[in-house]
C-alpha cells in the first residue's frame, strides 16, 4: 500500500515537472519569436541598399540617379524583405527610399523655385511634402493622404491671403473640401514648377487644377520639344557626339514623362470650355448646364460658403433698410445699356415709396451701398446713386455684418453670378434678382430668363424675388414683401459643405481616361483634327 502511494506521488511530481519545463520552453519560444518580430518590424530592410540623387534635366524637370550601398546587404536585403512580407510586417514597398526621394524633391523644388512674398502658398509645400514623406516612411498615412492634388491656379494663393473675388471664394471652398478629404495639397504658379512636382511624385499625383493661361503655357512647350546640342563629355565613347535634349510639359509621343492631360482640369469661373479636352475637363463654380439651351455646361464642381457664413455672428435685429449689390459706381450708371432700373429713376421712386418701419421708433427706410472710390483729400465716399447712402468700401468682416443687419439685398444688373447673394441667403437676407430678358408670351417660364444670377432662378419668394427690368411696380412690391417677410438662414442644397465635398471626391478619385478618349473622338478624330497629346 505504501509502495503504491509512493508511486502515485512520484507520477504527480514528474507530471508537474514536465509541465513546468513545457511552460518554460513555450515562454522562451514565444519570447524569441516576439524578439524576431520586433527586430524585423523596426529594422528598415531598405536601409541596406539605396540612396537617391537628383540631377536637372536642364528644362525645369529632373532626372533621378540611384546608386547602391552594399554593406553585405546584397544577400541580406532581399531575403529579409521576403520574410517581412511573408509574416505580414511589410507590404513590399521601399518606404524609406520613397520618403528620401520626396525629401530630396522638396529640397530641389525650394532651390529651383524660391519663396516669393506674393506667392505665399509656395511656403506650404515643404511641410506638406515632409508630412507625406514621414507617413510613408513610418506607414502611418491616413486615409487618402498619399493622394496628391497640384493646385496650379493663383486663386488658391489669393484664397489664403484675403482675396475676395468670386474665383478666390470658390478656391477657398475647394481648399476646404480637399483638406476635409485629407488629400496632400501642393501649390504651383507656373508650368515648370507644376512639371517638377509631377515628375517627382509620379502616380501619387491624382489631379491638377490649372489656371487656364498656365495650362496653355504648358501646352505650348510641346510645340518644339527637341533640341540637339554638343554634350560635355571629355573622354570615352561619347566624346564629340551630339545628344538629343527633350523639351516639353504635357505628355505626348516623344515626351512620355510629361503631365497627363487627362489629369489636368481648368479652374474656370465662366461659361464655355477652357481645356483641350473640352467641357468635362473645365471646372465650373455653377451648374451652367441648368441654364443653357440643350443642357450644355462645364464640369460642375461648385463651392460652398457655409463655413464662413456660419462663423459670422448674426445681429439680434435688423435695420429698416435694403442693401444694393455693386461695389463700383459704374454699375449704377443709368445711361448704360446694362442698367436694369430704367432712366426714369424707377429705383429712386421705389425707395421713396417705402414707409417707415411699423416697429419700435418707426425707423425711416434707407437704401445703402458699399463701394466706389473715396476722395483722396476729403475722404468722402463716392456717390453711387441718388437716394442711396454709400458707406464706402468695408473690410470683409464689417461688410458681412452690414449685410446681415439689412433686410434685403438688391441686384442692379452687375456683377453677374456673384457669391454675395448666397451670403445674403445664409444670413437670412432675401435677394432681389433682376430679370434682363424673358419669354414675353410666357413670362413665368424661368428657364427662358436671363437674370443677374441665373443659378438662383429655380428659387422663389420669400428667398429670391425675381423682378423684370424697368418694372417699377414689381420692384416696389418685391421690396415691400422682402421687408415684411423675414427668412431664416438658407443654403441651396447643392452648396452645402457635404454636397461640395462629394463632388470634389468624385473629381479626384474618378478614372478620367475613358472620358478623355471620348472627348478626343468628339473634338478631334470625328472632325479630322490632330490631337497633339498622348492619352494611353
Amino acid at each position: 500500500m505504501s509502495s503504491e502511494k509512493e508511486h502515485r506521488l512520484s507520477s504527480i511530481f514528474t507530471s508537474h515537472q514536465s509541465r513546468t519545463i513545457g511552460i518554460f520552453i513555450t515562454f522562451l519560444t514565444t519570447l524569441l519569436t516576439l524578439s524576431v518580430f520586433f527586430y524585423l518590424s523596426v529594422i528598415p530592410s531598405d536601409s541596406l541598399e539605396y540612396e537617391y540623387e537628383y540631377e536637372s534635366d536642364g528644362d525645369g524637370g529632373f532626372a533621378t540617379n540611384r546608386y547602391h550601398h552594399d554593406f553585405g546587404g546584397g544577400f541580406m536585403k532581399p531575403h529579409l524583405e521576403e520574410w517581412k512580407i511573408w509574416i505580414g510586417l511589410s507590404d513590399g514597398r521601399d518606404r524609406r527610399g520613397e520618403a528620401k526621394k520626396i525629401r530630396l524633391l522638396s529640397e530641389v523644388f525650394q532651390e529651383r523655385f524660391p519663396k516669393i512674398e506674393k506667392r505665399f502658398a509656395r511656403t506650404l509645400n515643404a511641410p506638406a511634402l515632409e508630412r507625406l514623406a514621414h507617413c510613408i516612411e513610418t506607414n502611418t498615412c491616413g486615409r487618402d493622404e498619399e493622394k496628391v492634388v497640384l493646385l496650379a491656379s493663383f486663386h488658391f494663393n489669393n484664397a489664403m491671403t484675403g482675396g475676395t473675388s468670386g474665383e478666390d471664394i470658390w478656391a477657398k471652398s475647394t481648399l476646404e473640401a480637399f483638406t476635409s478629404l485629407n488629400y496632400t495639397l501642393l501649390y504651383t504658379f507656373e508650368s515648370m514648377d507644376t512639371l517638377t512636382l509631377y515628375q517627382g511624385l509620379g502616380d501619387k499625383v491624382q489631379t491638377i487644377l490649372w489656371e487656364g493661361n498656365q495650362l496653355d503655357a504648358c501646352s505650348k512647350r510641346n510645340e518644339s520639344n527637341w533640341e540637339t546640342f554638343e554634350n560635355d563629355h571629355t573622354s570615352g565613347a561619347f566624346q564629340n557626339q551630339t545628344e538629343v535634349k527633350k523639351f516639353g510639359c504635357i505628355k505626348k509621343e516623344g515626351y512620355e514623362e510629361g503631365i497627363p492631360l487627362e489629369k489636368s482640369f481648368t479652374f474656370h469661373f465662366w461659361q464655355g470650355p477652357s481645356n483641350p479636352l473640352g467641357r468635362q475637363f473645365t471646372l465650373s463654380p455653377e451648374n451652367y448646364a441648368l441654364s443653357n439651351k440643350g443642357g450644355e455646361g462645364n464640369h460642375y464642381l461648385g463651392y460652398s460658403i457655409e463655413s464662413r457664413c456660419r462663423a459670422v455672428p448674426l445681429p439680434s435685429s435688423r435695420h429698416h433698410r435694403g442693401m444694393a449689390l455693386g461695389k463700383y459706381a459704374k454699375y449704377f450708371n443709368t445711361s448704360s445699356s446694362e442698367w436694369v432700373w430704367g432712366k426714369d429713376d424707377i429705383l429712386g421712386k421705389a425707395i421713396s415709396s417705402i414707409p417707415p418701419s411699423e416697429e419700435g421708433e418707426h425707423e425711416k427706410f434707407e437704401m445703402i451701398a458699399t463701394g466706389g472710390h473715396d476722395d483722396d483729400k476729403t475722404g468722402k465716399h463716392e456717390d453711387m446713386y441718388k437716394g442711396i447712402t454709400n458707406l464706402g468700401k468695408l473690410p470683409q468682416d464689417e461688410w458681412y455684418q452690414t449685410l446681415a443687419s439689412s433686410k434685403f439685398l438688391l441686384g442692379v444688373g452687375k456683377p453677374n453670378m456673384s457669391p454675395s447673394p448666397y451670403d445674403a441667403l445664409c444670413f437670412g437676407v432675401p435677394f432681389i434678382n433682376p430679370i434682363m430678358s424673358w419669354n414675353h408670351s410666357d413670362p413665368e417660364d424661368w428657364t427662358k430668363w436671363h437674370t443677374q444670377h441665373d443659378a438662383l432662378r429655380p428659387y422663389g419668394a420669400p428667398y429670391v424675388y425675381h423682378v423684370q427690368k424697368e418694372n417699377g411696380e414689381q420692384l416696389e412690391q418685391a421690396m415691400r414683401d422682402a421687408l415684411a417677410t423675414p427668412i431664416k438662414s438658407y443654403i441651396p442644397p447643392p452648396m452645402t459643405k457635404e454636397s461640395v465635398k462629394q463632388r470634389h471626391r468624385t473629381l479626384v478619385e474618378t478614372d478620367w481616361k475613358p472620358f478623355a478618349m471620348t472627348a478626343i473622338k468628339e473634338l478631334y478624330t470625328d472632325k479630322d483634327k490632330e490631337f497633339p497629346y498622348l492619352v494611353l
Side-chain angles (χ1 to χ4, degrees):
M1 189 74 173
S2 175
S3 175
E4 184 180 344
K5 186 175 182 181
E6 288 176 1
H7 177 72
R8 193 178 300 160
L9 288 172
S10 176
S11 298
I12 292 172
F13 177 77
T14 302
S15 174
H16 178 74
Q17 189 178 37
S18 299
R19 189 179 298 111
T20 301
I21 293 172
I23 291 173
F24 182 70
I25 291 172
T26 302
F27 172 76
L28 286 178
T29 304
T30 303
L31 182 62
L32 178 61
T33 302
L34 290 175
S35 298
V36 171
F37 269 78
F38 177 75
Y39 173 76
L40 292 174
S41 65
V42 297
I43 183 173
S45 56
D46 54 346
S47 65
L48 302 173
E49 190 174 6
Y50 294 115
E51 296 287 342
Y52 291 86
E53 281 188 346
Y54 286 91
E55 288 184 357
S56 172
D57 66 1
D59 187 39
F62 60 83
T64 306
N65 287 341
R66 194 162 75 162
Y67 56 92
H68 188 256
H69 288 284
D70 189 357
F71 302 110
F75 173 79
M76 293 174 60
K77 197 268 181 186
H79 290 279
L80 178 61
E81 183 63 21
E82 287 173 11
W83 272 100
K84 291 176 74 171
I85 294 172
W86 186 72
I87 61 179
L89 292 177
S90 172
D91 54 10
R93 288 174 60 177
D94 180 8
R95 290 185 170 275
R96 190 181 181 200
E98 285 186 47
K100 185 166 290 187
K101 187 176 180 181
I102 291 171
R103 289 186 176 112
L104 287 171
L105 167 65
S106 181
E107 292 177 12
V108 169
F109 187 86
Q110 291 180 70
E111 180 181 348
R112 187 171 297 166
F113 304 101
K115 300 171 185 176
I116 301 175
E117 184 178 354
K118 292 183 179 179
R119 296 180 173 183
F120 160 79
R122 189 175 275 169
T123 65
L124 304 177
N125 288 346
L129 287 168
E130 175 54 35
R131 286 192 300 271
L132 180 61
H134 177 75
C135 81
I136 289 175
E137 186 174 36
T138 57
N139 197 15
T140 56
C141 291
R143 179 184 174 183
D144 296 327
E145 192 171 356
E146 291 190 61
K147 294 174 180 175
V148 177
V149 178
L150 302 185
L151 301 169
S153 167
F154 66 89
H155 288 295
F156 295 104
N157 184 78
N158 291 359
M160 290 182 287
T161 55
T164 58
S165 72
E167 292 90 340
D168 299 341
I169 291 169
W170 178 22
K172 190 170 186 178
S173 171
T174 288
L175 289 177
E176 179 185 43
F178 281 153
T179 301
S180 69
L181 290 165
N182 202 35
Y183 300 141
T184 293
L185 306 179
L186 300 174
Y187 302 84
T188 61
F189 294 82
E190 302 165 358
S191 56
M192 284 299 95
D193 56 350
T194 308
L195 177 65
T196 298
L197 288 178
Y198 173 76
Q199 290 182 332
L201 295 166
D203 290 340
K204 287 183 175 62
V205 177
Q206 304 293 308
T207 309
I208 305 166
L209 271 58
W210 292 90
E211 187 67 19
N213 62 351
Q214 290 305 325
L215 179 57
D216 290 342
C218 185
S219 301
K220 288 176 182 177
R221 294 188 67 85
N222 289 75
E223 293 176 1
S224 56
N225 70 322
W226 300 98
E227 178 181 297
T228 24
F229 67 99
E230 295 292 330
N231 72 59
D232 56 3
H233 292 286
T234 58
S235 62
F238 296 100
Q239 188 172 4
N240 298 324
Q241 291 185 14
T242 59
E243 292 181 350
V244 176
K245 181 181 180 182
K246 295 186 288 183
F247 285 79
C249 187
I250 296 296
K251 184 177 182 179
K252 67 175 297 184
E253 189 172 348
Y255 196 73
E256 287 77 7
E257 60 269 45
I259 296 171
L261 194 58
E262 67 271 17
K263 290 188 176 185
S264 298
F265 293 81
T266 310
F267 201 70
H268 186 64
F269 198 85
W270 307 108
Q271 299 201 45
S274 179
N275 188 292
L277 291 174
R279 290 187 177 279
Q280 190 69 63
F281 291 79
T282 303
L283 302 178
S284 169
E286 299 285 1
N287 195 352
Y288 292 121
L290 294 178
S291 57
N292 285 345
K293 187 176 181 180
E296 259 195 345
N298 293 335
H299 182 145
Y300 174 46
L301 188 63
Y303 66 102
S304 175
I305 48 88
E306 184 174 357
S307 291
R308 66 190 181 100
C309 164
R310 298 298 191 210
V312 176
L314 297 179
S316 57
S317 61
R318 303 182 192 275
H319 295 290
H320 188 56
R321 72 184 183 202
M323 179 173 172
L325 171 62
K327 60 183 177 180
Y328 299 119
K330 64 182 180 180
Y331 292 160
F332 297 82
N333 182 0
T334 58
S335 62
S336 169
S337 60
E338 296 179 323
W339 173 247
V340 296
W341 300 128
K343 296 179 175 57
D344 296 328
D345 197 24
I346 291 173
L347 177 56
K349 293 175 181 176
I351 293 171
S352 60
S353 72
I354 303 298
S357 170
E358 296 179 358
E359 302 173 359
E361 300 180 0
H362 301 285
E363 181 183 2
K364 182 181 178 181
F365 176 75
E366 182 182 26
M367 197 76 196
I368 63 169
T370 56
H373 297 284
D374 294 344
D375 188 286
D376 291 337
K377 294 181 179 179
T378 65
K380 182 182 178 182
H381 304 315
E382 182 179 10
D383 290 333
M384 305 285 271
Y385 188 87
K386 181 181 178 181
I388 295 180
T389 302
N390 182 21
L391 304 181
K393 292 181 180 179
L394 302 176
Q396 191 172 60
D397 289 346
E398 190 175 342
W399 185 87
Y400 285 153
Q401 287 296 326
T402 302
L403 174 59
S405 58
S406 302
K407 290 186 176 179
F408 66 80
L409 179 67
L410 172 69
V412 296
K414 289 282 187 178
N416 292 325
M417 307 303 289
S418 166
S420 297
Y422 294 128
D423 290 318
L425 293 175
C426 189
F427 293 147
V429 176
F431 176 58
I432 298 178
N433 189 28
I435 308 173
M436 275 77 90
S437 64
W438 60 94
N439 181 358
H440 289 269
S441 61
D442 186 6
E444 298 302 316
D445 181 4
W446 62 265
T447 65
K448 302 296 191 298
W449 293 348
H450 169 52
T451 70
Q452 181 170 345
H453 206 298
D454 280 347
L456 290 174
R457 292 178 309 168
Y459 305 96
Y463 301 102
V464 183
Y465 295 87
H466 304 286
V467 177
Q468 296 169 356
K469 72 172 185 178
E470 301 184 9
N471 191 322
E473 184 179 339
Q474 282 189 5
L475 176 60
E476 182 181 331
Q477 188 62 52
M479 292 169 66
R480 288 174 177 267
D481 290 345
L483 291 167
T485 315
I487 64 171
K488 294 182 178 180
S489 174
Y490 180 74
I491 296 175
M495 296 189 68
T496 63
K497 283 200 303 183
E498 188 59 31
S499 293
V500 172
K501 176 181 174 181
Q502 291 308 316
R503 289 195 297 273
H504 281 70
R505 185 193 296 278
T506 298
L507 173 68
V508 172
E509 301 186 11
T510 296
D511 178 7
W512 291 102
K513 285 185 181 179
F515 297 90
M517 298 304 294
T518 299
I520 292 169
K521 183 178 183 300
E522 293 177 353
L523 299 175
Y524 296 89
T525 308
D526 289 352
K527 297 180 179 179
D528 294 324
K529 293 181 179 179
E530 180 185 359
F531 182 69
Y533 310 110
L534 187 61
V535 176
L536 297 177

